[in-house]
Amino acid sequence: MFFLVPSRPPSNITAQNRTSLTSIPIFWEPFPQEYTHGRLVGYRVTHQAVSIGDLPVDFEPVLSKDVGKSVTSMTLRNLKPLVVYRITVAAISNKGPGPAGVTFGGQ
């Protein structure tokens, strides 16, 4: 049987206002089976600094963490104060990650 990666990003990805200067809670909806095209094995969450205050930044590393299929929230920790982060979440099937949804959080 031929499986593809998930065909869409998770829905309703949100980054709440900081609960502290160095953390951002993130939430998303459970991924629907009809878009998985295989077996859902988890989610990939990435974050990257895109601005410090009003100044854009370039060449910041993308940090990534894979979490289990039953996880639909997590908190990014050890972040820098006054920084805006680009945050993505992608569903991962047994054939790999699908497209990522994007939100922004921080500052």
Side-chain angles (χ1 to χ4, degrees), residues 7 23 35 44 92:
S7 58
S23 64
Y35 299 107
R44 178 160 297 151
I92 305 171

Side-chain angles (χ1 to χ4, degrees), residues 22-49:
T22 60
S23 64
I24 302 172
I26 306 164
F27 303 88
W28 60 92
E29 296 292 321
F31 198 73
Q33 177 60 41
E34 64 264 25
Y35 299 107
T36 303
H37 308 295
R39 182 174 45 87
L40 182 67
V41 296
Y43 298 93
R44 178 160 297 151
V45 179
T46 72
H47 67 283
Q48 178 184 33

Side-chain angles (χ1 to χ4, degrees), residues 30-93:
F31 198 73
Q33 177 60 41
E34 64 264 25
Y35 299 107
T36 303
H37 308 295
R39 182 174 45 87
L40 182 67
V41 296
Y43 298 93
R44 178 160 297 151
V45 179
T46 72
H47 67 283
Q48 178 184 33
V50 294
S51 68
I52 299 173
D54 293 332
L55 302 174
V57 295
D58 293 323
F59 309 113
E60 288 294 312
V62 176
L63 303 176
S64 178
K65 179 173 178 78
D66 290 353
V67 296
K69 64 183 178 182
S70 62
V71 176
T72 57
S73 67
M74 68 177 293
T75 299
L76 299 176
R77 299 184 192 284
N78 302 316
L79 303 175
K80 297 175 187 173
L82 303 175
V83 173
V84 174
Y85 289 89
R86 179 181 186 270
I87 300 163
T88 69
V89 180
I92 305 171
S93 75

Side-chain angles (χ1 to χ4, degrees), residues 2-13:
F2 180 71
F3 294 118
L4 301 172
V5 298
S7 58
R8 64 169 227 184
S11 298
N12 297 320
I13 301 167

